Structure formats: structure tokens, C-alpha cells
Amino acid sequence: MTDSRERRITALTEAAKVKSQNKTRDAEQAIRRLVKRGEAITFQAVQREAGVSHAFLYNHPELRKRIEHLRGTRRKAAADQPIDTDSTLVITLTRQIADLKKQHRQQLQALRDALERAHGENLDLRRELARRGIHPLPNVASIATTS
């Protein structure tokens, strides 16, 4: 074998090793995310979440064993424990807070729009009074002059 060919083979072997390590890391992180979200741990779910193939998961002994174990324990845990765990409570409350914030922003914008319309109507009425030669009493505060 030539020295150049050996270097290419070594480089390709190293690249394949790094690619496999990255896929393994991605699969492990996907499993953690699925567990954290309380989703079912299946080969298909891990494959979809990590962007790896079924074959990779089945041919990787440690990942396969972990997925099979978690798949079995999740089913048992789901049957044994009530649904309202701390994490689901936090997720539910977080969603409620986000919904309330959105609702608050919408209500605030509606109030601002209504106030803007009221200011416009007030200005139109003042102009109409001025056109007719009617002036408000001096002790009546004006929104236009107090701003």
C-alpha cells in the first residue's frame, strides 16, 4: 500500500468514527428530551427526534438496550403513577402563563385602540364646538391640553 492511500483510509476511518459518535450523542440527547417532555420512548420517536436511522439505533447495543429499558419502564410508570407529576404541572402552568400574557397583550392593545378612537372623537367634538363658537368653561380640563 502507498503512504497516500493509508492516510486516506485513516482519515476516512476517523471521519466515520466521529460521525458515529455524533449520531450517538444526538440519540442520547433525543432520549433525554423525550423523557423530559414525558413522551413515549420508542425507536421511532428517538429516530425522529435525533435524525438517525432505525438501523443505527438497532445496531448500537447500548442505545438499543437503553431504549428497550425506557420503553418498558415508561409503560409501567404510566400505569403506576398519576398523570399530574411535577414536570407536567410546570409545563401546564407555563402554558397558562404564556396564554395569559398573550391575552393581556391583546386586551391592552384593544384598550389603546379604544382610547385612540376616543381621543379622535373628543378632538372632532371640540372642533365642532369651536366652529359653532361655543367655548368650554375655563375650569373644565381638556385631555388635549393635559397631555
Side-chain angles (χ1 to χ4, degrees), residues 95-108:
R95 285 184 189 144
Q96 286 178 352
I97 289 171
D99 291 342
L100 289 171
K101 283 181 177 179
K102 181 180 178 183
Q103 182 182 1
H104 178 260
R105 282 190 302 272
Q106 291 170 343
Q107 290 173 343
L108 190 60

Side-chain angles (χ1 to χ4, degrees), residues 86-141:
D86 287 344
S87 62
T88 55
L89 181 60
V90 169
I91 290 168
T92 302
L93 291 174
T94 303
R95 285 184 189 144
Q96 286 178 352
I97 289 171
D99 291 342
L100 289 171
K101 283 181 177 179
K102 181 180 178 183
Q103 182 182 1
H104 178 260
R105 282 190 302 272
Q106 291 170 343
Q107 290 173 343
L108 190 60
Q109 188 59 47
L111 288 172
R112 285 182 177 145
D113 294 343
L115 182 60
E116 187 177 327
R117 284 190 306 275
H119 279 301
E121 290 173 11
N122 190 10
L123 185 60
D124 289 343
L125 291 171
R126 288 185 173 280
R127 286 180 182 156
E128 180 62 25
L129 287 173
R131 188 182 64 76
R132 293 184 182 186
I134 304 171
H135 299 287
L137 298 173
N139 62 351
V140 176

Side-chain angles (χ1 to χ4, degrees), residues 35-53:
V35 167
K36 188 174 182 180
R37 290 193 309 247
E39 295 182 23
I41 309 300
T42 63
F43 284 95
Q44 185 176 9
V46 174
Q47 176 247 332
R48 188 175 45 248
E49 183 79 16
V52 298
S53 68

Side-chain angles (χ1 to χ4, degrees), residues 39 55 57 73 76 83 103 138 147:
E39 295 182 23
L57 296 174
T73 58
K76 185 176 185 283
I83 295 175
Q103 182 182 1
S147 300

Side-chain angles (χ1 to χ4, degrees), residues 26-94:
D26 292 346
E28 289 171 350
Q29 289 174 349
I31 291 169
R32 279 193 226 91
R33 286 191 303 266
L34 290 168
V35 167
K36 188 174 182 180
R37 290 193 309 247
E39 295 182 23
I41 309 300
T42 63
F43 284 95
Q44 185 176 9
V46 174
Q47 176 247 332
R48 188 175 45 248
E49 183 79 16
V52 298
S53 68
H54 277 90
F56 177 79
L57 296 174
Y58 279 108
N59 292 328
H60 195 288
E62 293 85 22
L63 286 174
R64 182 177 185 164
K65 184 177 178 181
R66 186 167 176 211
I67 293 168
E68 288 172 344
H69 172 74
L70 287 171
R71 182 173 56 185
T73 58
R74 298 296 290 170
R75 284 186 190 143
K76 185 176 185 283
D80 293 345
Q81 294 181 353
I83 295 175
D84 288 330
T85 62
D86 287 344
S87 62
T88 55
L89 181 60
V90 169
I91 290 168
T92 302
L93 291 174
T94 303

